[in-house]
Amino acid sequence: HEVRTLINEMARDKIIVISTHILEEVEALCSRAIIIARGRIVADDTPAALATRSRYHNAVSLQLAQPAQLAAAQRALESLAGVASVEVSERDARLTALPRAGSTILPAVSELAASQGLKLQELHLESGRLDEVFRTITA
């Protein structure tokens, strides 16, 4: 918190360059991110704009209160028109519905959860994952 406060105070009239592989720092502290791979700039944008390049941008994660509903919930999510695929974590009864390009699936997923009687501990709209964008861009 102290570092963020210091950077915010200094950033009003200065440029501060941070070199890091810790992408949580980039999201928390930076207004601009430049990704360099093999000596070349491969991306230059805001962290939020870079996150929109992630396949997780606008994905919807659900954590079920009743793990027994996992298989049925997966099949139901996969049947939604805007859903490209569904990732499943049995360990914590979590499903992540990944949208087809340009699709907004939160309303459909929310409606499906209600109509299927899914007991949810959490329903979360993802903004995107910088770590995944970084790996994709630099691969």
Side-chain angles (χ1 to χ4, degrees):
H1 179 68
E2 292 176 20
V3 172
R4 182 183 298 173
T5 302
L6 177 62
I7 288 175
N8 286 336
E9 288 175 12
M10 293 174 62
R12 289 188 196 117
D13 59 352
K14 294 180 179 49
I15 294 174
I16 299 170
V17 177
I18 300 172
S19 175
T20 184
H21 284 87
I22 302 171
L23 297 175
E24 292 82 11
E25 289 178 350
V26 173
E27 289 177 305
L29 301 173
C30 300
S31 59
R32 181 174 167 196
I34 298 172
I35 299 174
I36 300 171
R38 293 174 286 288
R40 302 186 74 204
I41 294 175
V42 294
D44 180 357
D45 216 329
T46 65
L50 288 173
T52 66
R53 297 183 188 190
S54 170
R55 67 190 184 108
Y56 292 96
H57 178 65
N58 286 334
V60 178
S61 293
L62 304 90
Q63 186 173 18
L64 302 177
Q66 298 175 342
Q69 294 182 312
L70 202 58
Q74 179 181 0
R75 287 190 301 275
L77 287 169
E78 289 171 340
S79 73
L80 291 176
V83 173
S85 63
V86 177
E87 294 179 354
V88 179
S89 171
E90 291 183 15
R91 181 177 48 86
D92 58 355
R94 181 176 303 277
L95 300 112
T96 301
L98 300 160
R100 295 189 191 282
S103 294
T104 301
I105 60 172
L106 178 61
V109 170
S110 179
E111 184 178 308
L112 178 113
S115 70
Q116 297 287 316
L118 299 177
K119 304 293 186 209
L120 302 179
Q121 285 187 318
E122 179 183 315
L123 178 69
H124 176 78
L125 178 65
E126 300 232 11
S127 60
R129 298 180 184 174
L130 279 185
D131 61 325
E132 187 246 344
V133 172
F134 179 82
R135 281 191 307 277
T136 301
I137 288 175
T138 59

